Amino acid sequence: MDAISIPYLFRCPISQQVMKEPVTICTGITYDRESIERWFEEGNLSCPSTMQVLETLDLTPNHTLKRLIQAWCSSNSGIQGTHNISSSNPDEKEIEQVLLNIRNSSAHLGNLRTLADLAKRSERNMALIAASGGHSALLYILSRREIMCREEALAILASLPIHEAKEECMSALKSPTTIDMISWFLSKGSMDARLHAAQVLYGLLTADQNLKAVFRPDEETFQNLNLLLQDECQSAVKTALEVLLIISPVRRNRMRAVEAGVAVTLIEILSQANSKLTEKALSLLEILCQSAEGRASVCGHPLGIIVLVQKIARVSEVGTDAAIAALWQIIKKCKTPSVLKDMEEAGGHLKLSFMLQVGCRSSIRQRAKEILRAQRGKS
């Protein structure tokens, strides 16, 4: 009877136990973090429920479901399987005290490291720090002079859920002063600080869709995002791609991204056979090809046309669409003999003919036809 009374949606599809840390994968299905991570560690690259091959192994915390589970567990504490999940948190009082110390004590570095340790213990602690005004306390440290304290505060800020910040904290996070501080860390900070600055910036841009319209990054910001794209750390590359994907649709940002060498770096990323970030790189390159500068960078690179052709039908549907759209932009406005030659040598005709046979979206189908006509010398 106890088992029957547990709501179905609260159970992990793998373990059939009440979820402690619900996370959602790209198929839209939610699992307990421990169970799905073990599934991936065993070499599985598919969704356990549908067996669909996953385009990405990213895990998105399901905060709403987690709060619902915690509330339900608090009112049903006698049910078997819920004793390890409680709305109470032994770290809660310590979090409140540490945040108070950060504001009132001079021992900032020690308190920040204690707060960082608390944040690492669980996602719930991160949410508690955010709900307790943690963003505000960390912004206070960022405004001070001690560089070690500032970088420690920035690292914690990057780990917190921006969307759960209090309204007054969100206003402060989006202020020109804070944006200038983040830009400073992107330019002047250590490599870790640059990554954390980019993560904070990404969090802000996704939390407020209107911010990208008023955010005006300078040339140095794009140069440093391009440096992150070249980093060996996959997290750094992914974060830089995500930030650039959000801000590059704005025309002035496209131009500055190309001037900073982003298009060339993307081609280098795409030339690596097994990059997990191919889809994002193709999507960003397609955006850059909407500008004359972006098309010139791709055409001027020895591998530019080749990598776009090679990725057709070899990535996800989104990646294939982006590759064809980028080629269409180039053929439409840069149909030079050298471009057509590169297309032919890379097997563009065969790839695009194959796409027309297997079927694709009508807009992409039309673009594939136009590219083929250009290759054959038809009007």
Side-chain angles (χ1 to χ4, degrees), residues 62-111:
N62 193 328
H63 298 294
T64 301
L65 180 58
K66 185 176 180 179
R67 282 192 286 268
L68 290 172
I69 292 173
Q70 289 169 344
W72 179 84
C73 288
S74 295
S75 58
N76 296 275
S77 56
I79 295 179
Q80 184 180 5
T82 67
H83 58 281
N84 289 327
I85 308 171
S86 171
S87 58
S88 62
N89 188 323
D91 295 332
E92 189 168 355
K93 290 184 178 179
E94 189 176 357
I95 288 170
E96 292 176 356
Q97 185 59 53
V98 171
L99 289 175
L100 187 64
N101 291 343
I102 287 173
R103 294 185 181 94
N104 300 325
S105 169
S106 59
H108 292 131
L109 191 58
N111 286 312

Side-chain angles (χ1 to χ4, degrees), residues 267 295-310 327 330-331 334-351 371 375:
I267 293 169
R295 292 189 292 272
S297 288
V298 174
C299 294
H301 195 290
L303 297 176
I305 301 296
I306 294 172
V307 294
L308 286 173
V309 173
Q310 287 178 342
L327 286 170
I330 292 168
I331 292 294
C334 301
K335 191 177 66 174
T336 64
S338 62
V339 167
L340 294 176
K341 181 181 178 182
D342 286 345
M343 281 279 294
E344 183 180 355
E345 291 180 351
H349 175 79
L350 293 174
K351 280 288 188 78
I371 297 171
Q375 271 194 285

Side-chain angles (χ1 to χ4, degrees), residues 80-153:
Q80 184 180 5
T82 67
H83 58 281
N84 289 327
I85 308 171
S86 171
S87 58
S88 62
N89 188 323
D91 295 332
E92 189 168 355
K93 290 184 178 179
E94 189 176 357
I95 288 170
E96 292 176 356
Q97 185 59 53
V98 171
L99 289 175
L100 187 64
N101 291 343
I102 287 173
R103 294 185 181 94
N104 300 325
S105 169
S106 59
H108 292 131
L109 191 58
N111 286 312
L112 285 167
R113 286 174 177 169
T114 300
L115 188 65
D117 181 62
L118 286 164
K120 290 174 184 175
R121 290 182 192 176
S122 69
E123 289 183 8
R124 183 147 188 251
N125 277 4
M126 293 182 192
L128 278 171
I129 294 170
S132 302
H135 295 90
S136 178
L138 295 168
L139 285 176
Y140 165 71
I141 297 297
L142 286 177
S143 66
R144 298 180 66 83
R145 293 185 177 181
E146 301 93 335
I147 188 63
M148 287 184 65
C149 292
R150 295 176 72 194
E151 292 203 354
E152 188 74 42

Side-chain angles (χ1 to χ4, degrees), residues 215-228:
F215 177 54
R216 295 179 178 273
D218 57 19
E219 295 176 12
E220 196 171 10
T221 298
F222 283 101
Q223 289 168 0
N224 286 292
L225 286 171
N226 190 40
L227 285 175
L228 284 178

Side-chain angles (χ1 to χ4, degrees), residues 62-301:
N62 193 328
H63 298 294
T64 301
L65 180 58
K66 185 176 180 179
R67 282 192 286 268
L68 290 172
I69 292 173
Q70 289 169 344
W72 179 84
C73 288
S74 295
S75 58
N76 296 275
S77 56
I79 295 179
Q80 184 180 5
T82 67
H83 58 281
N84 289 327
I85 308 171
S86 171
S87 58
S88 62
N89 188 323
D91 295 332
E92 189 168 355
K93 290 184 178 179
E94 189 176 357
I95 288 170
E96 292 176 356
Q97 185 59 53
V98 171
L99 289 175
L100 187 64
N101 291 343
I102 287 173
R103 294 185 181 94
N104 300 325
S105 169
S106 59
H108 292 131
L109 191 58
N111 286 312
L112 285 167
R113 286 174 177 169
T114 300
L115 188 65
D117 181 62
L118 286 164
K120 290 174 184 175
R121 290 182 192 176
S122 69
E123 289 183 8
R124 183 147 188 251
N125 277 4
M126 293 182 192
L128 278 171
I129 294 170
S132 302
H135 295 90
S136 178
L138 295 168
L139 285 176
Y140 165 71
I141 297 297
L142 286 177
S143 66
R144 298 180 66 83
R145 293 185 177 181
E146 301 93 335
I147 188 63
M148 287 184 65
C149 292
R150 295 176 72 194
E151 292 203 354
E152 188 74 42
L154 185 67
I156 302 171
L157 192 61
S159 71
L160 298 184
I162 296 288
H163 62 279
E164 293 192 11
K166 291 183 175 181
E167 187 174 346
E168 61 271 21
C169 292
M170 183 59 78
S171 297
L173 284 165
K174 295 186 297 182
S175 70
T177 301
T178 302
I179 298 298
D180 286 345
M181 281 193 291
I182 293 170
S183 298
W184 185 90
F185 277 109
L186 267 175
S187 303
K188 310 296 184 184
S190 64
M191 281 307 297
D192 284 344
R194 292 181 187 189
L195 169 58
H196 296 145
Q199 289 171 334
V200 173
L201 181 58
Y202 174 68
L204 288 171
L205 290 167
T206 52
D208 184 356
Q209 297 298 316
N210 296 321
L211 185 59
K212 67 179 180 181
V214 296
F215 177 54
R216 295 179 178 273
D218 57 19
E219 295 176 12
E220 196 171 10
T221 298
F222 283 101
Q223 289 168 0
N224 286 292
L225 286 171
N226 190 40
L227 285 175
L228 284 178
L229 283 178
Q230 299 170 36
D231 199 274
E232 294 181 359
C233 173
Q234 285 281 294
S235 179
V237 178
K238 179 185 174 187
T239 304
L241 281 171
E242 289 171 336
V243 170
L244 287 164
L245 278 167
I246 293 175
I247 64 177
S248 293
V250 179
R251 187 177 183 277
R252 64 174 180 272
N253 291 341
R254 278 201 301 271
M255 293 175 61
R256 287 188 169 177
V258 174
E259 289 169 358
V262 171
V264 173
T265 302
L266 291 174
I267 293 169
E268 299 298 330
I269 291 173
L270 291 170
S271 66
Q272 301 169 13
N274 298 314
S275 174
K276 296 179 181 179
L277 301 170
T278 299
E279 182 182 297
K280 292 183 189 296
L282 284 169
S283 297
L284 179 56
L285 194 57
E286 189 270 322
I287 292 173
L288 298 185
C289 281
Q290 293 171 21
S291 68
E293 298 83 1
R295 292 189 292 272
S297 288
V298 174
C299 294
H301 195 290

